Amino acid sequence: MKKKGLILNSNLYKDNSFIVDMINENELFVFEAKGISKSKSKNKSLLFFLNLVEAEFASRGEKNILINGNILYDTSFLMSDFEGIFFLNVMKEILYKLILKENIYKYYDKLLNLLYLCGKYKSSNIYLIAVIHFLIYVFDKEGIDYLSYLKENSLDTTTINSFLDFKDLSNIILSRETLKNILKNLNLFIVSNLNTILNSIELL
């Protein structure tokens, strides 16, 4: 069988094999990638976080085994600067700390749109803007009231709301320091109200 989707988490299973989460618009799909960490593995580059891939799988008992695949959208360009690496790290934290695992696939379309945006502009500020937009989008979809906290603590809500409303995020003109401060304020909310922390933001 063939499936297309975004690569998420990859965990070492045994020897050179990994258990991998992949999402598409319909499901969270888990598969085993055998021998993927061997230097001669033809599938090694597939498993980069948030790569869009099309792959063929074989069903063996209850397991789905990766046979081969192609990268449709390569996100390794994000490794070229600090903010790109930050984007990858914090997006993984948002997905696995703030969203129930079985619901992550519902964010497939939004993730794909943000990845295309990042690839189009390849801008440090766009990477930060995309993270803020996705974080607020998750709050909105999960019914998490972050605005009350911001108001109670005399923090700016108008600017933050604009990230959810903007149809073209590239039109947001804010300094890098302002974007970082917005992220830090949102992380304070997460620490105070959701009993977790996005460690990547702490490193900004």
Side-chain angles (χ1 to χ4, degrees):
M1 62 178 166
K2 281 189 176 181
K3 287 186 179 287
K4 183 174 79 170
L6 290 172
I7 297 295
L8 299 185
N9 213 26
S10 301
N11 291 311
L12 183 63
Y13 176 50
K14 58 182 179 181
D15 299 327
N16 294 299
S17 298
F18 283 76
I19 297 296
V20 184
D21 293 342
M22 183 177 82
I23 58 168
N24 55 38
E25 61 269 28
N26 299 311
E27 63 182 341
L28 168 68
F29 182 75
V30 180
F31 65 88
E32 181 179 347
K34 289 180 174 290
I36 200 75
S37 60
K38 292 180 179 178
S39 58
K40 294 183 179 180
S41 173
K42 60 184 178 181
N43 292 319
K44 191 173 184 178
S45 61
L46 283 180
L47 301 190
F48 193 82
F49 179 60
L50 291 181
N51 267 355
L52 178 65
V53 306
E54 184 174 58
E56 186 175 353
F57 303 92
S59 296
R60 296 175 186 168
E62 296 182 354
K63 290 184 178 180
N64 301 301
I65 308 297
L66 175 66
I67 305 300
N68 55 58
N70 297 302
I71 298 173
L72 303 178
Y73 189 77
D74 188 347
T75 56
S76 61
F77 69 88
L78 288 159
M79 295 294 291
S80 62
D81 64 20
F82 173 81
E83 280 78 12
I85 295 169
F86 165 77
F87 173 89
L88 292 170
N89 290 336
V90 76
M91 291 297 272
K92 181 174 284 191
E93 286 195 89
I94 294 169
L95 288 168
Y96 283 95
K97 288 184 176 181
L98 302 184
I99 306 169
L100 290 173
K101 187 174 180 179
E102 59 266 29
N103 290 335
I104 290 178
Y105 77 92
K106 296 177 182 179
Y107 293 87
Y108 172 80
D109 288 333
K110 175 60 66 176
L111 285 167
L112 204 53
N113 288 336
L114 290 177
L115 289 170
Y116 289 150
L117 178 77
C118 290
K120 179 179 179 180
Y121 291 98
K122 292 186 171 68
S123 155
S124 297
N125 273 24
I126 287 292
Y127 302 155
L128 296 176
I129 288 167
V131 169
I132 296 170
H133 175 76
F134 187 65
L135 188 51
I136 295 172
Y137 183 81
V138 169
F139 287 162
D140 188 60
K141 291 298 180 184
E142 298 295 317
I144 298 170
D145 179 17
Y146 64 96
L147 290 175
S148 296
Y149 170 85
L150 296 178
K151 290 174 182 176
E152 288 169 6
N153 290 274
S154 302
L155 299 172
D156 176 38
T157 58
T158 304
T159 302
I160 290 178
N161 270 340
S162 70
F163 284 86
L164 193 58
D165 297 333
F166 262 101
K167 289 182 172 59
D168 184 357
L169 295 175
S170 65
N171 287 332
I172 296 177
I173 308 298
L174 293 171
S175 71
R176 194 170 304 179
E177 284 308 308
T178 299
L179 295 171
K180 288 180 179 179
N181 285 333
I182 290 171
L183 282 166
K184 289 175 181 177
N185 286 333
L186 291 173
N187 205 29
L188 286 174
F189 163 74
I190 291 168
V191 172
S192 299
N193 294 270
L194 303 181
N195 299 315
T196 188
I197 187 171
L198 301 181
N199 294 304
S200 302
I201 295 177
E202 290 295 294
L203 299 176
L204 282 175

